Amino acid sequence: MLSLHEFKAVLRVVEWDLMKLKRQKAFIAMRTAWFIIQTLVFGYAISKITRPDIGVDYYKFYLLGLYTALLYSASIARAYIIADEFDDGIIDYHLSLPLKRSVLAAGRVIGGAVSTIIFTIPMMVFILYLVGGLEPISLLTSIASAFAFSTGVVSFVVIIVMKLKSTDTTDILFGTIDAILVRLSSVFYPLPVIQALNLPAYYYLALLNPLTHFADFLRALVLPEYFLLQLTPAQSILYILGLGIGLLVVAIELFERKLEAGGVK
């Protein structure tokens, strides 16, 4: 349990990530413009070409998957920022501050997740409006689940970057992971369609993929007529929460063990 002093320290670390987000206006503008193009042009074109019988307009199915992929990619992008901080010596500077290692690790993970949510909330609202699910309860539930999902991804990022501590290796590894995990999920293809391919390894990897759980949770939340769910909303949200909390604990533990000497080299 965090003391009041430690809680305030976590908030100060979170503020560091939020300040960095404010300086990324050009990046945010470009990602937002590209997202709108994917939504209004590519998504509409794909929905006209592909018309699977899934109980809902495939365009709505695609949009919720697109947001899932965006949230995941935005969370993964924290890897590049943290890797750059290793190279620039910023992590060593943070370690010189009068902060507990656990507070620093928790603050960086939560700060990364909060920054990602702030960055993607306008797009979430846009997507929910397009699919007809922009209601207060749906919006708040979507934001809460997105935060839990992003916390897990950012924790995973911190764990891996702590092991690598290399910008070049980070670029290659997370670029590969990003591409593979999005495709090994139900982000753009319903699970029963993947199962029908008769490729058990592909299907079970998709079934265990956190992106599948988050995407299908959103679909169950705002598209009640979607009938190809193989995971209940309760199963998906428990999976997302368990993964987020578990990876956060591992990230904090790794931070404390690796940095006991006061450095990362």
Side-chain angles (χ1 to χ4, degrees), residues 1 4 9 13 20 35 58 67 89 105 114 133 144 146 171 205 259:
M1 188 71 177
L4 179 61
V13 178
K20 297 194 72 171
F35 180 79
Y58 181 72
Y67 174 75
V114 170
D171 288 345
L205 285 172
L259 308 179

Side-chain angles (χ1 to χ4, degrees), residues 141 144-146 148-149 186 191 206-221 226 228-244:
T141 304
S145 60
F149 175 80
S186 68
L191 272 177
L207 196 62
L208 294 172
N209 194 327
L211 277 77
T212 292
H213 286 266
F214 181 69
D216 281 358
F217 175 77
L218 289 183
R219 289 167 183 142
L221 181 66
Y226 177 57
L228 291 183
L229 288 171
Q230 293 190 347
L231 300 163
T232 68
Q235 287 175 326
S236 293
I237 198 61
L238 286 174
Y239 184 89
I240 293 167
L241 285 172
L243 197 67

Side-chain angles (χ1 to χ4, degrees), residues 21-244:
L21 182 66
K22 289 171 61 177
R23 296 196 293 267
Q24 296 176 317
K25 295 178 181 178
F27 170 77
I28 293 173
M30 288 189 294
R31 288 295 294 266
T32 302
W34 178 239
F35 180 79
I36 292 173
I37 292 173
Q38 285 183 295
T39 300
L40 300 180
V41 180
F42 298 146
Y44 183 76
I46 290 174
S47 69
K48 293 302 180 183
I49 297 171
T50 307
R51 296 192 176 186
D53 182 17
I54 59 175
V56 296
D57 184 354
Y58 181 72
Y59 183 53
K60 295 180 179 180
F61 178 94
Y62 170 85
L63 290 179
L64 293 170
L66 181 62
Y67 174 75
T68 299
L70 170 75
L71 179 65
Y72 171 71
S73 296
S75 300
I76 283 289
R78 309 306 301 179
Y80 309 116
I81 295 173
I82 296 172
D84 284 339
E85 290 178 353
F86 273 112
D87 289 345
D88 296 339
I90 294 175
I91 297 294
D92 278 321
Y93 165 71
H94 284 165
L95 293 172
S96 69
L97 300 175
L99 293 174
K100 291 177 63 176
R101 303 293 184 255
S102 58
V103 168
L104 178 58
R108 292 311 307 268
V109 169
I110 295 172
V114 170
S115 296
T116 300
I117 295 302
I118 291 174
F119 167 54
T120 60
I121 274 182
M123 301 162 203
M124 175 190 286
V125 172
F126 183 53
I127 291 297
L128 292 179
Y129 170 76
L130 290 178
V131 303
L134 188 56
E135 299 176 356
I137 294 178
S138 297
L139 178 60
L140 292 176
T141 304
S142 298
I143 292 173
S145 60
F147 177 75
F149 175 80
S150 183
T151 298
V153 176
V154 175
S155 297
F156 172 71
V157 162
V158 169
I159 292 168
I160 299 300
V161 174
M162 283 295 298
K163 294 286 188 180
L164 299 178
K165 299 193 286 284
S166 166
T167 303
D168 292 337
T169 307
T170 297
D171 288 345
I172 296 170
L173 179 61
F174 279 103
T176 303
I177 291 174
D178 195 353
I180 291 175
L181 283 185
V182 169
R183 285 153 184 81
L184 291 178
S185 72
S186 68
V187 165
F188 299 125
Y189 327 107
L191 272 177
V193 173
I194 297 174
Q195 187 177 24
L197 295 174
N198 199 27
L199 297 171
Y202 183 12
Y203 171 70
Y204 287 112
L205 285 172
L207 196 62
L208 294 172
N209 194 327
L211 277 77
T212 292
H213 286 266
F214 181 69
D216 281 358
F217 175 77
L218 289 183
R219 289 167 183 142
L221 181 66
V222 301
L223 300 176
E225 66 274 25
Y226 177 57
F227 62 79
L228 291 183
L229 288 171
Q230 293 190 347
L231 300 163
T232 68
Q235 287 175 326
S236 293
I237 198 61
L238 286 174
Y239 184 89
I240 293 167
L241 285 172
L243 197 67

